[in-house]
Amino acid sequence: MAQKVTVVLEDDLTGGPAEQTVRFAFDGTDYEIDLNAKNAAAFGKQLSPYLEHARKAGRAPARRAGRPAAVRQRSGDIRAWAKEHGLAVSERGRIPASVLEQYRASANGR
C-alpha cells in the first residue's frame, strides 16, 4: 500500500496559503517563517538596507576544552612521583591506571 503525504504551508502572518519558508537568524537565534509571495517580498524589502551593509558570518570555530591548570599540575606531580619510585610513565598522554592506584595508595598512607 502506498501513502501520499501532502504538506500545506500556511502564511504565519495572514493565515492564508504560503508559498515558501523563509529562514533567518537574528541575535544568535535561528528562525523560520512560512510566507506567501507578497509577505516574503515585503520581508526581504524590510531587511534589504541591513543586508546591503552586513557581512556574512562563517561558523564560529569549535572550542576545544582545555584542562584546568590544577589538573595539569596534579598530573605533573603524579609523573614526578612515579619517576622517583622507578615507575615507567610517559611525559604526555594518559597516566596508566596502575600508576594512579599506587600514587593514591601512597598518598592515603601518608
Side-chain angles (χ1 to χ4, degrees), residues 82-110:
K83 287 179 183 177
E84 288 172 14
H85 290 84
L87 301 171
V89 63
S90 65
E91 292 295 321
R92 296 182 55 161
R94 282 190 184 213
I95 298 172
S98 62
V99 173
L100 286 173
E101 288 172 17
Q102 291 177 56
Y103 176 79
R104 288 183 187 130
S106 72
N108 290 336
R110 287 184 189 174

Side-chain angles (χ1 to χ4, degrees), residues 8-9 11 17 20 24-25 30 46 54 59 67 71 81:
V8 178
L9 296 179
D11 188 296
Q20 64 185 22
F24 61 100
D30 295 326
Q46 290 289 321
R59 291 186 175 256
R67 294 185 337 156
V71 172
W81 176 88

Side-chain angles (χ1 to χ4, degrees), residues 20-43:
Q20 64 185 22
T21 299
V22 177
R23 291 179 178 84
F24 61 100
F26 179 73
D27 207 16
T29 303
D30 295 326
Y31 297 91
E32 60 181 37
I33 187 169
D34 299 325
L35 298 172
N36 63 32
K38 180 181 172 187
N39 287 336
F43 182 79

